[in-house]
Amino acid sequence: MITIFCAFFSLLTCVSGVTVVTQSPLITVRKGEQAKLDCNLGTVTDKSARWYKQTPGGVPQYMLRFYHDWSSVEYGSGFSAPKFTSTHSSKSDYSLIINNVDVDDFAVYYCKTWDSSVLPLESETVESFCTSEDVTCITVVFGQGTKLNVIDFPLTPPVLTLLSPSTEALKESKATLVCLAEDISVALVHVTWSVNGRSVTDGVWSSPTEKQQDKTFKMSSYLTVESSDWMDNADFSCEVSVGSKFTKKSISVSQC
């Protein structure tokens, strides 16, 4: 038997018509509180939701899985009740509950499910297991992850600087805008770029946060666009959020 395996979070295999697993991008809670991380399995209603924890620089750890027909949660090594549990509000809506959160819970949490209704092609956030004998595939789909910040101090909005493309860069077909975020009070942030009020993800790359001597963090995010889009006087915006606090900056060629 030959088995084809797409590595964890790799781009080696994708699928056509695969369900989309949706998670909130960022949650910030105070130390000692309860964190509730939601996951929607899309069109999948007959499979369990499985959760993984990944600390910065670490490998994903299997935490637990839960199915709406089960009476109890199945746990991975090192995870147990009452600290960790899972609930559901429908056959496709699940939640990971972390009680009495501590700084060790600071991580990115990924939700995963199975979708057997599609054929293997190409996608992101997918593992695919197929046999050459019967061409039966199990498509494993991941959400994009929820960043969990744990704080014991008041949050403050980050300070942003939005830089336009350089004159030299505009001579090429592509141009890059830079969003510098400083005085960030937590290590995990959520960055959103928009053009004329519409959110964009193509051409976006964001660096990890970097801790400073004053214990704040800084990071950079980049948006690469067609030079003609910039010269057409479109409005470009960068927003960086940390929990309920955020800062948004906008720029266009007419402002430069």
Side-chain angles (χ1 to χ4, degrees), residues 76-90:
S77 177
F79 299 92
S80 61
K83 173 72 174 180
F84 304 98
T85 190
S86 182
T87 61
H88 72 93
S89 58
S90 74

Side-chain angles (χ1 to χ4, degrees), residues 4 15 20 25 61 113 129 139 158 170 183 187 191 198 231 236 256:
I4 303 170
V15 293
V20 176
Q61 298 173 276
T113 194
F129 302 83
T139 303
L170 289 172
D183 291 339
V191 181
R198 294 193 301 178
M231 298 307 297
F236 296 87
C256 297

Side-chain angles (χ1 to χ4, degrees), residues 10-157:
S10 74
L11 306 180
L12 298 181
T13 300
C14 296
V15 293
S16 175
V18 68
T19 190
V20 176
V21 175
T22 305
Q23 298 180 242
S24 300
L26 176 67
I27 292 177
T28 300
V29 297
R30 291 187 177 276
K31 182 178 178 181
E33 293 181 342
Q34 180 190 87
K36 182 173 179 285
L37 287 66
D38 295 326
C39 173
N40 177 268
L41 305 185
T43 58
V44 173
T45 59
D46 60 346
K47 298 293 189 295
S48 62
R50 185 179 293 225
W51 290 88
Y52 292 82
K53 174 184 180 181
Q54 185 173 26
T55 56
V59 298
Q61 298 173 276
Y62 166 57
M63 300 177 64
L64 58 85
R65 68 171 179 148
F66 185 55
Y67 182 56
H68 56 78
D69 270 356
W70 293 355
S71 59
S72 61
V73 176
E74 176 190 277
Y75 289 96
S77 177
F79 299 92
S80 61
K83 173 72 174 180
F84 304 98
T85 190
S86 182
T87 61
H88 72 93
S89 58
S90 74
K91 291 183 178 181
S92 59
D93 289 290
Y94 290 82
S95 296
L96 171 66
I97 307 296
I98 306 176
N99 292 302
N100 192 27
V101 295
D102 203 346
V103 291
D104 292 339
D105 299 313
F106 157 75
V108 182
Y109 294 83
Y110 293 93
C111 179
K112 161 184 165 181
T113 194
W114 292 258
D115 188 352
S116 56
S117 65
V118 291
L119 297 176
L121 279 176
E122 290 208 2
S123 167
E124 279 188 25
T125 63
V126 172
E127 293 180 26
S128 188
F129 302 83
C130 305
T131 67
S132 61
E133 297 172 357
D134 56 11
V135 200
T136 299
C137 296
I138 302 172
T139 303
V140 183
V141 189
F142 292 90
Q144 295 293 340
T146 297
K147 301 171 184 176
L148 176 62
N149 282 313
V150 180
I151 62 170
D152 56 1
F153 50 83
L155 283 175
T156 56

Side-chain angles (χ1 to χ4, degrees), residues 144-177:
Q144 295 293 340
T146 297
K147 301 171 184 176
L148 176 62
N149 282 313
V150 180
I151 62 170
D152 56 1
F153 50 83
L155 283 175
T156 56
V159 175
L160 296 192
T161 303
L162 191 52
L163 303 176
S164 63
S166 67
T167 303
E168 287 300 313
L170 289 172
K171 296 178 182 179
E172 307 295 332
S173 61
K174 299 286 186 179
T176 300
L177 291 84

